[in-house]
Every structure is written in C-alpha cells, then in structure tokens.
Amino acid sequence: MRKLLLFYALMLLVTCSFGQLLQPGFNGKEYTDVLALNFQRFDSAVYDPKIKLPDAYINAYRSPDLGLRNRWNMWYRKDGAVAVISLRGTIAALPSWIENYYAAMVPATGSLQINDS
C-alpha cells in the first residue's frame, strides 16, 4: 500500500512538472515535427528521403511486427519532456489488407444522440 501511494505521488509530481509544456491551440512547428516523425518509417509504401528527422527527437523504440503486420515507433524529444507514438497503417501485405476489410465488417452496437431531443 505504501509503495502504491508513493508511485501515485511520483506520477502526480511528474504530470504537474511536464504537463504545461504543450500549449493549447495550433503550433505549426509541433505539427511539422510530428509529420516528419510519421514519415521516418522506412518500410512504408510512401517514403520521401527529403523529409528529414527533426533535430529535437530521437527514436527510443521500434516495435516488431505484431498481429496483422502492425508496428509502432516511440520518439522522445531530446529534452525528455515530450513523447510521440507513431503508428504504421496498412502496408502492401495481404494480412494487413484483410485487417482493413475485417474492421469494416464488425457490426456497430450502441446508440448516438445528436441533440437534446
């Protein structure tokens, strides 16, 4: 119980310390950095070597192919304050395309209320 309480206190401290680094609203530099990180996957169908890796980020982890050829990358800003997770979409492989069709065939459940009436 004491370790759990200490863990929560530490997480609260980290959240309060780094939570204010990203500001609300549109930041063009942040947007272009994230787009550039997204184009750093060399196994993707779209690869443009002219789009360079932003200087402020390093690749911390690249997952192996999982499930139906899914993969993701974890990028950290060099100051350690921001992390970006980049997900790879469909690739030119049959299991990857089958996943797209399977996702469309799953029936929707639940309801949606547009307004108060």
Side-chain angles (χ1 to χ4, degrees):
M1 177 68 175
R2 192 172 190 176
K3 287 182 181 181
L4 184 62
L5 192 58
L6 181 64
F7 174 74
Y8 285 135
L10 181 63
M11 292 307 294
L12 181 63
L13 177 67
V14 168
T15 303
C16 290
S17 300
F18 295 116
Q20 300 302 319
L21 294 172
L22 298 176
Q23 301 300 320
F26 181 77
N27 181 338
K29 172 74 171 121
E30 187 177 281
Y31 179 72
T32 56
D33 283 350
V34 170
L35 278 178
L37 292 176
N38 189 49
F39 283 105
Q40 296 304 314
R41 295 181 310 240
F42 300 113
D43 58 345
S44 177
V46 178
Y47 170 62
D48 188 353
K50 294 179 282 193
I51 300 173
K52 301 296 181 200
L53 176 66
D55 293 331
Y57 289 87
I58 57 172
N59 190 1
Y61 181 75
R62 181 183 178 119
S63 75
D65 278 352
L66 303 170
L68 298 174
R69 306 294 305 267
N70 297 321
R71 178 177 279 174
W72 60 276
N73 292 340
M74 170 71 83
W75 300 88
Y76 285 115
R77 206 164 62 188
K78 289 182 180 175
D79 63 6
V82 176
V84 176
I85 297 174
S86 175
L87 303 173
R88 178 179 70 186
T90 302
I91 63 170
L94 185 59
S96 184
W97 280 98
I98 289 174
E99 180 180 19
N100 292 340
Y101 292 116
Y102 177 72
M105 294 188 306
V106 176
T109 59
S111 63
L112 180 67
Q113 182 175 347
I114 304 297
N115 58 23
D116 293 339
S117 61

